[in-house]
Amino acid sequence: MMYLALWTLAVASLVNHSASANEAVADFYKGKTISMVIGLSPGGDYDLRARLLTRHMPRHIPGEPAMVPRNMPGAGGVAATNWLMKVAPRDGTAILMVTQNMPLAQALGLTGVEFDARQFNWIGNTTDTPNVITVWAASGVRTVEDAKKKELSIAATGAGTGSYYYPVAANEVAGTKFRMVQGYPGGNEMNLAMERGEVDGRGSNSWAAWKATRPQWLEQNKIVNLIQIGLKRHPELSDVPLLLELASNDLDRRAMALISAETAIARGVATAPGVRSDRVDALRGAFNATMKDTQFLKEAQQQNFDISPAFGEEVQKIVAEIVESAPEVVARAKAIIQPPK
């Protein structure tokens, strides 16, 4: 009986502690505004997904704070990620929709990286969709073999992003003839450049983003997906080769697998280092609840967004695995995608 009484007291203490912590979080967030920062320009998949979260996630956060989107384009997402590391408030009032290649950019030591993605408090990820290298159908190119014979101008944001290094990696391991055109602030601008004939293609977009933002292009066969970037072929892209399948030796395949691993956290969100654990737990709980919210899922379906989430602790682990990859694999990946001097 004494043990039962002690157990009952212990459970009651935990319940009271949990309730007290929840009340403290609610007291903090009540009347506050959380910034949902997007490291790319408006109109693309990152931007639209972030705005979708801002409309639904706040009602699941204790205290129901306001949440507003804020675009912070620069260096393909590096500027915003550096901001989260160095400038953002460390109280749980700043969330970043992280450009997916940031952990890899850190692992490779790319220029401009001033963050440690392992120190962020990862809240969750909305999809694990593969990325694709895409060309405008009018280019006449339909396969990787075609792209080995014809030079294609490919739009990219910057050298530290997948839109640049996926095609560059394909050039190295498969012999394609992609010519990079850098400096676009985001996906919307790259799409316009393709449509206007300024470039032949786009170095990276997620398959989910094409379905959500340009379904008419898919229906009208205006674009061709040449290569997909992921660790396994997507069922809807079964005839599109993986980047890692184009490698001809084991080390190159491992390097391409490292480059491709970031698709597992294709649209992740994180808050700053140093945020109190009870607030991190509350944000993670709110994200988890949002992923099951019928209103959120209904709007996601209306916008053709696939929702295949990973949750905070899992994303945290994936990020650490990418950053801490084997030195020989990192060295080879860096050699493959290093911008020419």
Side-chain angles (χ1 to χ4, degrees), residues 25-32 62-65:
V25 172
D27 288 343
F28 171 77
Y29 277 120
K30 188 175 182 179
K32 294 281 198 313
E64 298 190 23

Side-chain angles (χ1 to χ4, degrees), residues 140-152 176-177 226:
V141 170
R142 296 290 183 272
T143 67
V144 173
E145 290 304 313
D146 292 340
K148 294 178 183 180
K149 300 170 186 174
K150 180 179 179 180
E151 183 180 83
L152 296 165
T176 51
K177 295 182 178 181
L226 292 180

Side-chain angles (χ1 to χ4, degrees), residues 135-259:
V135 294
W136 198 243
S139 69
V141 170
R142 296 290 183 272
T143 67
V144 173
E145 290 304 313
D146 292 340
K148 294 178 183 180
K149 300 170 186 174
K150 180 179 179 180
E151 183 180 83
L152 296 165
S153 57
I154 301 295
T157 50
T161 69
S163 62
Y164 179 90
Y165 58 69
Y166 295 153
V168 168
N171 286 348
E172 176 67 21
V173 302
T176 51
K177 295 182 178 181
F178 298 130
R179 176 173 58 82
M180 306 312 300
V181 182
Q182 301 182 57
Y184 292 94
N188 206 40
E189 292 81 4
M190 288 190 279
N191 290 346
L192 287 172
M194 279 201 302
E195 194 169 26
R196 292 169 179 166
E198 297 171 11
V199 294
D200 295 310
R202 175 174 171 178
S204 176
N205 194 18
S206 76
W207 173 234
W210 280 130
K211 293 190 292 182
T213 63
R214 294 294 189 279
Q216 70 277 17
W217 285 6
L218 297 174
E219 293 166 4
Q220 297 166 12
N221 297 314
K222 287 191 172 183
I223 55 177
V224 177
N225 295 311
L226 292 180
I227 301 169
Q228 62 177 305
I229 296 87
L231 298 179
K232 60 182 179 180
R233 291 197 188 194
H234 191 281
E236 296 172 346
L237 299 170
S238 60
D239 59 342
V240 178
L242 292 166
L243 179 61
L244 64 86
E245 292 173 341
L246 303 178
S248 59
N249 62 70
D250 181 64
L251 183 56
D252 281 1
R253 277 189 289 273
R254 292 170 67 198
M256 294 304 97
L258 170 58
I259 289 172

